[in-house]
């Protein structure tokens, strides 16, 4: 199949989550391959696009159609992932640990909205049958980031001891029960 058709078989979670105990907060999202023959040598990258707080004041312009535009500076940072190489035999959770060096450290949900944050997730891999490179991407805007929630398990064992993957559960989340999460969720702080 063509690379763009093959990329459509990769499923991303509908939202990303920020959760974990205060000293080990993480931004996570899920990705799964719906095909039996998974991509080989798959890798993940996560980019963060945002408008910095110390930005140049916007300038308003009007184009020929009379539409008002605002020009703003946009910054891009590649976020460090726990592992870039992913194995898509089972659904995979891609993790960015929020450390003091992370641009997300100490940011609230309101901060992310004010900064117009957008996370762009890129997955690349090779189809085993043709050797063609496949790229898929998904972006998450600030309203799609869920603070204080984590993904539920979407893999079970059947009575024969075989793994069962429930792709319908790839999007499901639950409250994060980590110590200190209640205070931080109410404050909406990612640290």
């Amino acid at each position: 199949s063509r690379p763009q058709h093959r990329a459509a078989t990769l499923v991303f979670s509908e939202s990303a989550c920020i959760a974990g105990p205060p000293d080990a907060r993480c931004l996570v999202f899920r990705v799964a391959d719906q095909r039996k023959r998974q991509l080989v040598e798959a890798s993940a990258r996560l980019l963060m696009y945002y408008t910095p707080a110390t930005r140049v004041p916007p300038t308003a312009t009007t184009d020929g159609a009379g539409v008002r535009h605002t020009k703003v500076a946009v910054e891009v940072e590649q976020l460090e992932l726990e592992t870039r190489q992913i194995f898509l035999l089972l659904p995979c959770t891609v993790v960015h640990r929020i450390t003091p060096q992370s641009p997300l450290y100490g940011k609230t949900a309101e901060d992310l909205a004010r900064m117009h944050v957008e996370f762009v997730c890129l997955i690349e891999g090779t189809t085993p049958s043709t050797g063609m490179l496949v790229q898929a991407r998904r972006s998450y805007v600030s309203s799609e980031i869920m603070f204080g929630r984590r993904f539920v398990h979407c893999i079970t064992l059947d009575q024969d001891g075989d793994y069962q993957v429930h792709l319908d559960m790839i999007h499901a989340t639950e409250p994060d029960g980590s110590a200190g999460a209640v205070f931080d969720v109410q404050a909406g702080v990612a640290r």
Side-chain angles (χ1 to χ4, degrees):
S1 70
R2 293 183 186 169
Q4 64 265 31
H5 294 260
R6 181 63 178 92
T9 65
L10 294 177
V11 178
F12 290 87
S13 54
E14 293 171 347
S15 59
C17 297
I18 292 181
D23 60 339
R25 222 27 110 222
C26 294
L27 167 69
V28 297
F29 68 92
R30 275 190 177 159
V31 63
D33 195 341
Q34 297 181 79
R35 288 211 176 165
K36 295 243 183 254
R37 296 193 67 175
Q38 289 78 28
L39 296 176
V40 294
E41 298 182 19
S43 64
R45 288 192 312 160
L46 183 60
L47 303 172
M48 177 178 148
Y49 290 80
Y50 64 99
T51 304
T54 57
R55 64 179 190 235
V56 177
T59 26
T61 61
T62 305
D63 66 9
V67 178
R68 186 178 166 101
H69 298 280
T70 303
K71 296 179 184 178
V72 295
V74 176
E75 298 286 330
V76 180
E77 287 198 41
Q78 183 164 327
L79 299 182
E80 189 73 29
L81 298 177
E82 282 194 344
T83 180
R84 281 190 46 133
Q85 297 306 118
I86 57 175
F87 187 61
L88 293 170
L89 179 63
L90 298 172
C92 178
T93 302
V94 179
V95 178
H96 165 70
R97 191 165 300 279
I98 301 173
T99 65
Q101 293 75 35
S102 169
L104 295 177
Y105 187 77
K107 298 292 189 267
T108 65
E110 292 78 21
D111 291 335
L112 297 184
R114 189 173 31 261
M115 294 167 58
H116 303 283
V117 167
E118 183 170 356
F119 299 98
V120 178
C121 316
L122 304 165
I123 304 295
E124 293 182 337
T126 305
T127 58
S129 57
T130 65
M132 295 180 76
L133 179 67
V134 173
Q135 295 180 328
R137 75 171 176 246
R138 167 71 157 92
S139 78
Y140 299 99
V141 294
S142 60
S143 61
E144 296 170 308
I145 307 300
M146 301 174 69
F147 277 75
R149 298 196 62 87
R150 64 179 177 204
F151 290 107
V152 300
H153 296 290
C154 63
I155 302 169
T156 58
L157 281 174
D158 66 14
Q159 58 197 41
D160 297 327
D162 295 326
Y163 290 108
Q164 298 294 315
V165 176
H166 305 278
L167 284 179
D168 58 327
M169 297 291 291
I170 195 170
H171 313 291
T173 65
E174 63 188 3
D176 177 32
S178 299
V182 173
F183 174 78
D184 285 328
V185 170
Q186 289 172 350
V189 178
R191 55 177 156 186

